[in-house]
Amino acid sequence: MAGNRALRMGAILAGAAAVAAAGWALREVPAALGGRPSGRRAERMRRSPHFTGTAFANSSPVAVATPGQGGRLLRDMMASGPRRKPAGPVPVLVPSAAVESDLDIVWYGHATTLVEIEGRRVLFDPVWSDRCSPTPLVGPKRLHPLPVPAEELPPLDAIVISHDHYDHLDMATVRTLTRTQVAPFLVPLGVGAHLDRWGVPANRIIELDWDETCTIAGLRVILTEARHFSGRAFSRNPTLWGSWVLAGERRKVFYTGDSGYFDGYGRLGAQYGPFDVTLMQIGAYSPSWPDIHMTPEEAVEAHLALGGDLLMPVHWATFVLAFHGWAEPVDRLWREAKARGLRLAVPRPGERISVDRPPAVDAWWQALA
């Protein structure tokens, strides 16, 4: 009897501890949802030609999910289908600290990418949390560790955010970088409200509309158009989204953010290109949402329209966000790049790439597919 009572008491204590842990984890959910633009920020948003009066809009109509696709999505979710996770550990490298050229790239996984350009450092879409979610309890979980802790990043000149979805804008990471770095955050219109709520000083927040430019550490940084959407809770498109141009005296970089293919890439290439390297979103596509994420073949078309030289894929390998196989995006990209005679680099997470001297593609991912 005493033993049974002890077991029951242990179970009760374990359950209470689990509930307490869940409550502790959930306490930050309201903050993680972000802030609501107000005051001068909201006034500036209303003046944007891309603001409809209640929300931001793309230059051409966008369907986030194709009508009538609910049944197909449910079937895809339940099907065994292709392998959506790697078959073994993803090789992760600790990036070398030695800069190899005046334009080096370090991809940390998913969209998180460090660009070292002409002696300056710009970090795109930093996400260091284990899940891209408002809570650590549920949501897409990281498939490989990060190459370095966020606290060990070198001094940055700018931190650039493409839009406010959880796999691109992470509260815990923003708080860490606010504490450990002095660089400003460059964000699309309205996204500064999230940073405000998370404790980023106002003098470190720079908000831009499409085709607006700011100069940071001698670099021109330009927010450009993308075909996507925004929102961290139930409202749709309360903040702007975009792609980014990073231009030094000699070198230029284009980062797509998240985007469906659109004919504006030709305009962006003519206006801001050509580019030494394009960082192209290639993963999390589906026939059910063709307007908001590119397929690998569309990424190649966009790269060519932009006047890109080296193509480097991002937005794959780290989180399961769609129903295609884990390695499918990069397999399709490599096949298309070879058919079109393009320069391509596919680094392992943490691998430093010199844009002028990238290593040959060695298909490192295929053993995990």
Side-chain angles (χ1 to χ4, degrees):
M1 293 292 290
N4 289 338
R5 284 197 298 271
L7 288 173
R8 285 197 298 271
M9 182 58 68
I12 291 170
L13 291 174
V19 170
W24 182 260
L26 292 172
R27 81 196 190 284
E28 290 278 32
V29 168
L33 296 177
R36 184 185 299 273
S38 61
R40 292 182 179 178
R41 175 173 287 115
E43 290 176 8
R44 187 177 175 207
M45 290 166 55
R46 287 192 289 268
R47 292 196 299 269
S48 169
H50 314 297
F51 196 73
T52 65
T54 57
F56 286 96
N58 287 283
S59 59
S60 57
V62 164
V64 173
T66 305
Q69 290 293 315
R72 176 176 181 166
L73 287 171
L74 183 60
R75 289 193 301 273
D76 287 344
M77 190 177 299
M78 300 300 293
S80 57
R83 185 186 293 276
R84 295 174 191 158
K85 295 182 181 180
V90 175
V92 174
L93 307 180
V94 176
S96 164
V99 176
E100 297 181 7
S101 69
D102 64 352
L103 184 53
D104 283 6
I105 310 290
V106 179
W107 175 61
Y108 293 103
H110 197 57
T112 303
T113 308
L114 178 67
V115 175
E116 298 191 336
I117 176 172
E118 299 177 5
R120 290 81 142 192
R121 298 187 185 96
V122 177
L123 183 65
F124 287 97
D125 284 353
V127 174
W128 257 259
S129 289
D130 286 337
R131 294 185 186 272
C132 48
S133 167
T135 169
L137 298 179
V138 296
K141 187 174 176 58
R142 185 176 294 279
L143 300 176
H144 64 80
L146 280 145
V148 295
E151 292 86 350
E152 295 181 11
L153 288 170
L156 303 172
D157 292 286
I159 302 161
V160 178
I161 308 295
S162 64
H163 63 296
D164 72 357
H165 287 160
Y166 290 98
D167 57 322
H168 295 259
L169 178 64
D170 176 62
M171 179 179 69
T173 303
V174 167
R175 286 176 168 175
T176 296
L177 295 177
T178 301
R179 186 182 74 251
T180 60
Q181 300 281 342
V182 298
F185 290 81
L186 279 62
V187 299
L189 288 179
V191 176
H194 302 318
L195 306 188
D196 272 346
R197 184 167 188 183
W198 302 337
V200 180
N203 63 2
R204 288 182 61 183
I205 301 173
I206 300 172
E207 292 181 83
L208 300 177
D209 203 344
W210 289 345
D211 293 313
E212 287 187 341
T213 304
C214 69
T215 301
I216 300 293
L219 299 171
R220 285 194 307 132
V221 189
I222 308 159
L223 179 67
T224 45
E225 185 177 358
R227 195 179 189 208
H228 199 54
F229 69 110
S230 69
R232 293 176 74 83
F234 302 108
S235 59
R236 180 62 55 81
N237 300 340
T239 63
L240 189 59
W241 52 91
S243 55
W244 290 92
V245 171
L246 183 61
E249 293 182 4
R250 303 172 301 281
R251 315 308 297 262
K252 287 184 183 178
V253 177
F254 186 87
Y255 168 50
T256 58
D258 279 3
S259 182
Y261 185 83
F262 69 112
D263 58 12
Y265 284 120
R267 177 188 70 82
L268 296 178
Q271 186 170 357
Y272 300 114
F275 296 97
D276 297 284
V277 60
T278 63
L279 308 175
M280 306 298 294
Q281 170 257 303
I282 67 162
Y285 49 82
S286 170
S288 299
W289 53 84
D291 296 340
I292 57 172
H293 281 174
M294 287 185 283
T295 65
E297 294 79 10
E298 288 171 330
V300 167
E301 291 294 339
H303 169 82
L304 292 169
L306 288 162
D309 182 7
L310 180 69
L311 190 161
M312 202 182 101
V314 299
H315 208 273
W316 79 283
T318 305
F319 299 109
V320 177
L321 301 174
F323 304 117
H324 55 65
W326 176 77
E328 180 186 303
V330 73
D331 276 333
R332 288 174 58 173
L333 179 73
W334 194 25
R335 182 165 56 248
E336 187 71 9
K338 287 189 289 187
R340 307 290 285 269
L342 301 184
R343 295 179 71 228
L344 177 68
V346 185
R348 295 156 179 79
E351 184 175 3
R352 176 179 290 278
I353 297 293
S354 168
V355 168
D356 294 332
R357 299 179 299 277
V361 178
D362 62 1
W364 61 264
W365 64 89
Q366 291 186 344
L368 303 174

